[in-house]
Amino acid sequence: MRTKIAAANWKMNLNFQQAKDLLDQILASHVHPGPGKKAVFAVPSPFLRIAAKKMKSQDNHHVCAQNIHHKKSGAYTGEVSAEMVRSVGAEYVIIGHSERREYFQETNAMLAEKINLALESGLTPIFCCGEPLQIREAGEQDAFVKKQIEEGLFNLNAMDMMKIVIAYEPIWAIGTGKTATSLQAQEMHKGIRSVLAAKYGNEIADSVSILYGGSVKASNANELFSQPDVDGGLVGGASLNADEFVAIINALQ
Ligand code: PEP
């Protein structure tokens, strides 16, 4: 059975008080992800510690960093390392979000380094992949995403591959209100699983959780999560609203 995950990505939003209030509202709803299900909160770095404290006594709630630097430590003013975020309670880290790839020129080679550092520090990477609109319109999304996965992940051995979570996030659906249809999501997730199977075998491919991201909301989560290869969601905008995100956690199947 693959782990089902609802992951919130708050991006660069909220101040400290607002962050605490949002976490308190979510916890006050007494949402209990059951066995095999997880609620994951990718909060901005300054809020990791308080989020970890609040989640400590909550079963199946985990804290996630939104990024780490691709070097272990050193003279990289303003950057945050894998070890730093782990030491303040993060258990997951998003690697290669399309906003990082686009605005911070993160390459697949850098992302592969980040993945290694994350695993070394005991963090579970959520590796993001997904095509821009012009690639989708040209019908080249399968090859595009395959290359991201090969270059970002395929230096991992089988044991480490089993520790990865993948998030398929078509860029044209992120923050646009345009969601991939559940069939488009299922098709891509199935394709990603077959890319993994060709390299690592069926057993490992079947064990990796693949999340869908791109305008997931309470109103479409059930339909998306009902697809056999969709193991939950990475959720931006809707995760900033407690009721919406609680409904998305409850939609995990
Ligand atoms: C995201 O930030 O990964 C995302 C999918 O954003 P949104 O849900 O707002 O499209």
Side-chain angles (χ1 to χ4, degrees):
M1 249 322 242
R2 287 189 292 272
T3 306
K4 308 290 171 160
I5 299 172
N9 177 15
W10 288 4
K11 311 194 188 194
M12 196 176 73
N13 289 299
L14 310 181
N15 63 29
F16 188 55
Q17 188 59 50
Q18 291 166 332
K20 286 194 294 184
D21 290 347
L22 180 53
L23 290 171
D24 287 341
Q25 282 167 28
I26 291 167
L27 294 179
S29 75
H30 301 296
V31 61
H32 293 300
K37 298 179 187 172
K38 291 182 184 301
V40 171
F41 297 83
V43 303
S45 296
F47 310 152
L48 284 170
R49 186 74 184 138
I50 186 73
K53 276 190 182 165
K54 286 184 185 289
M55 297 300 157
K56 202 171 171 190
S57 51
Q58 307 291 328
D59 284 345
N60 300 326
H61 287 64
H62 303 271
V63 175
C64 180
Q66 295 179 10
N67 181 40
I68 48 171
H69 192 55
H70 61 283
K71 297 291 177 201
K72 199 178 170 89
S73 64
Y76 301 103
T77 302
E79 292 296 331
V80 173
S81 73
E83 195 186 343
M84 287 174 193
V85 301
R86 182 71 193 100
S87 70
V88 291
E91 294 172 272
Y92 287 73
V93 58
I94 297 176
I95 303 281
H97 191 281
S98 61
E99 289 153 15
R100 302 283 327 164
R101 292 175 185 263
E102 182 179 351
Y103 306 139
F104 302 93
Q105 287 76 48
E106 293 192 355
T107 61
N108 288 325
M110 282 160 73
L111 302 180
E113 290 187 69
K114 291 184 188 217
I115 296 269
N116 287 334
L117 287 171
L119 290 170
E120 245 176 54
S121 298
L123 293 162
T124 298
I126 301 179
F127 178 78
C128 298
C129 56
E131 78 285 355
L133 185 59
Q134 67 274 24
I135 294 288
R136 167 67 62 165
E137 285 174 344
E140 291 164 1
Q141 63 274 12
D142 295 354
F144 186 92
V145 168
K146 181 170 185 255
K147 187 167 188 287
Q148 289 180 318
I149 289 178
E150 284 171 350
E151 294 182 0
L153 297 177
F154 277 10
N155 67 335
L156 295 175
N157 63 35
M159 283 298 286
D160 282 342
M161 187 64 223
M162 288 169 74
K163 298 175 187 159
I164 304 290
V165 173
I166 293 177
Y168 167 64
E169 301 205 301
I171 297 172
W172 46 271
I174 298 179
T176 58
K178 248 192 211 174
T179 318
T181 64
S182 52
L183 289 180
Q184 282 173 321
Q186 167 58 22
E187 218 172 52
M188 286 303 292
H189 285 220
K190 195 173 168 204
I192 290 169
R193 219 176 283 294
S194 62
V195 168
L196 298 180
K199 165 91 175 161
Y200 294 100
N202 283 334
E203 200 179 321
I204 288 177
D206 284 342
S207 74
V208 172
S209 299
I210 307 179
L211 316 184
Y212 167 78
S215 300
V216 175
K217 332 182 236 306
S219 58
N220 59 23
N222 262 309
E223 165 73 16
L224 285 160
F225 298 172
S226 69
Q227 298 302 310
D229 286 288
V230 178
D231 303 310
L234 178 56
V235 186
S239 72
L240 293 167
N241 177 296
D243 292 341
E244 277 279 314
F245 193 60
V246 166
I248 291 167
I249 298 170
N250 283 329
L252 290 174
Q253 294 171 13

